[in-house]
Amino acid sequence: MKFYYFTTQEERRSFGGSCFIEIQFCRIKPTAKVKQIVAVSRIKPWQNDSLYVHDDDINSFYDEYSDIFDCGTYNNLRSGKMDVYGINYYRADLIDAIIKKIKATKASDCETIIAWLNKAKSYNGFYILGI
């Protein structure tokens, strides 16, 4: 399994501390400027409805998913491949194309992330927050 859910912070801590990539819903209003959306001060990490990738799986996650998540906006407002050490923001209108790429590559544990991404459509997109 590449993706993990935790119902409490204690459960996450006992599983593996804080060494995770967090895939988190963007709860900031769609009317906000991108600079606000990717601001460190606006992001609240360790949400219970996030998906997590443990440190042990980060390399394989990057190998399989970096070409899929190649359209995010970084904290410096540039765009490119997923940065596993920074903030990556993906607008809601990108989600269908991302799901299509995941299905085409048949990446591991794709059912889990596709189900989660379908939920992200009702938010202002999502983040991949690096370690």
Side-chain angles (χ1 to χ4, degrees), residues 47-64:
Q47 299 295 312
N48 287 338
D49 56 1
S50 292
L51 270 182
Y52 293 91
V53 178
H54 191 265
D55 179 51
D56 293 342
D57 300 314
I58 289 174
N59 289 334
S60 65
F61 173 67
Y62 185 82
D63 290 344
E64 283 190 275

Side-chain angles (χ1 to χ4, degrees), residues 59-111:
N59 289 334
S60 65
F61 173 67
Y62 185 82
D63 290 344
E64 283 190 275
Y65 284 91
S66 63
D67 288 333
I68 294 167
F69 293 110
D70 63 352
C71 54
T73 302
Y74 307 137
N75 179 257
N76 66 5
L77 303 180
R78 294 191 177 160
S79 188
K81 273 190 176 181
M82 172 181 46
D83 177 3
V84 296
Y85 298 104
I87 295 170
N88 307 265
Y89 166 66
Y90 301 86
R91 299 183 324 264
D93 64 343
L94 298 171
I95 294 173
D96 285 331
I98 290 169
I99 290 172
K100 186 176 179 180
K101 286 183 187 180
I102 293 170
K103 287 179 178 179
T105 62
K106 298 179 179 153
S108 64
D109 207 7
C110 64
E111 299 84 14

